[in-house]
Each structure stands twice: as C-alpha cells, then as structure tokens.
Amino acid sequence: MAKNIQSLERAAAMLRLLAGGERRLGLSDISSALGLAKGTAHGILRTLQLEGFVEQDATSGRYQLGAELLRLGNSYLDVHELRARALVWTDDLARSSGESVHLGVLHQHGVLIVHHVFRPDDSRQVLEVGAMQPLHSTALGKVLSAYDPVAHSEVMEAERRPFTGRTVTAADDFEAMLDLVRAQGWAADAEETWEGVAAVAAPVHDRRRMPVGAVAVTGAVERVAPGGALRPELIAAVRDCARAVSRDLGAGRF
C-alpha cells in the first residue's frame, strides 16, 4: 500500500485551515493549529505562496488563500460549455447591433477569444477565434481585470504597454478605471488598443456568480462611439447578452 506524502498532507491541511475561520492567520497561529514547528510551517507556506495558492499581507505578515485557487475552482467550467451557452445570445447581439461580437476568457496573462460572430454585412472579415488580446487596453480585458481576482493580479504585475495615445498605463489611473467598470457593470475601449476601433464589454458569471468570461461588441469607432460617446443602446444590448449567458450558466438574475 502506497504511503501518503506528509508534506502534501500538511499543505492541504493549511489550505483547509485558511479556508475556514478567520480570513487571515499568522505563522504562529498556523503552526500551533497544525502542531508544526514554525520553520516547517513557514517552508510549506513559502512554497504555497510561490505557486499562488497562498498570499501574505505585506503589512501584517498574515496569510490568506491566494488567487490561483480561484482559477482552479473555475476550471470545472469547460470553455466549450461557455461557448455553447453563448451561441444564440451572441448571434442575436450581432444581428441587433450590426457589429462583430467576441466572447473572451482569461488565458496566459491575456484574453483568449473563444467565440466570434461576424458583423452581419457582406464585408470581408477574419475569424478571430484563438486570437489573444491584451488585458489592460481592451474592453474584454478590462472587464476580466475588474471582476476576476486572478486577472487583476496578472494585469497589475505585468507591463501595461501603450498601444495608442489613449491607452491607460499608470497603475493608479488603471485602478480608478477598474473601479468605474465595477460601478457601471461594463467596460469600454475607444481606440485604446487599435486606432479607429471601439468596443464595449460586460462580464459573464457562472452558477457561483464567479466571473468566467466576457462578451463584447466591436466595430469602427464612428459607429460604436460616434462623437466620442458610446451608443447607449449598444451598452444595454451587451449587458443584456452577458446577463442572458450568465443565467444559462446558472447564475440567476443580476
């Protein structure tokens, strides 16, 4: 009979301990609760911290669960299920808006396009499924950064490169923009990533009301944001689409 690996058992016990009771615990609390020497407990916590499973508060030195656990917890939601639930709603959004529609998810420090509905006209277009978009400048990326703790951590730690003169790169300005996204429930990109292109996006949530993706309408800036202001009916349509997909994923009403 195979023996259990003691270090893994201790790491699992730490994660369970941090998941219950107080939100943050100090090293002494953790070592005492688990009957471990402080050096042993610190070594395991350090490893968990390096892997993103545990975070340490810079001020108090206390530990709490890390954002990587959220990523693992969301992994049960197959991207194909998300895409399947969104098919009808994104088709409807493209028809009603007259613009392209993208469905994106967090992937490798960016936004992976998992579904793309062409603009409903006879213009020549390129399928963007599988393409990657930046987190900090696109409407899809801003939504994910605002609602997903993992995306937020990644975008704040990465270099926020200026793609145009309108790209927001300063940390304080970017955080203020994410606060606005959360307050209004949607994000915009008006020539912040590509000149002449604008977009508006809203978050998609699963049955646990966790963010699992975002949906966006994208088109020429003169159509999406004539005169520099996003068309209110586009914002409403994108939000309605995101809510509909969320409901189909079991999130209920938002």
Side-chain angles (χ1 to χ4, degrees), residues 85-96:
R85 299 288 185 179
L87 286 176
V88 172
W89 300 111
T90 51
D91 282 351
D92 287 346
L93 179 57
R95 279 194 297 269
S96 66

Side-chain angles (χ1 to χ4, degrees), residues 130-152:
M132 293 291 295
Q133 294 186 2
L135 279 173
H136 70 284
S137 62
T138 61
L140 289 169
K142 292 176 191 177
V143 164
L144 293 173
S145 299
Y147 288 92
D148 185 334
V150 176
H152 180 267

Side-chain angles (χ1 to χ4, degrees), residues 96-109:
S96 66
S97 67
E99 302 293 348
S100 297
V101 175
H102 296 96
L103 182 70
V105 299
L106 178 66
H107 180 68
Q108 294 182 350
H109 307 283

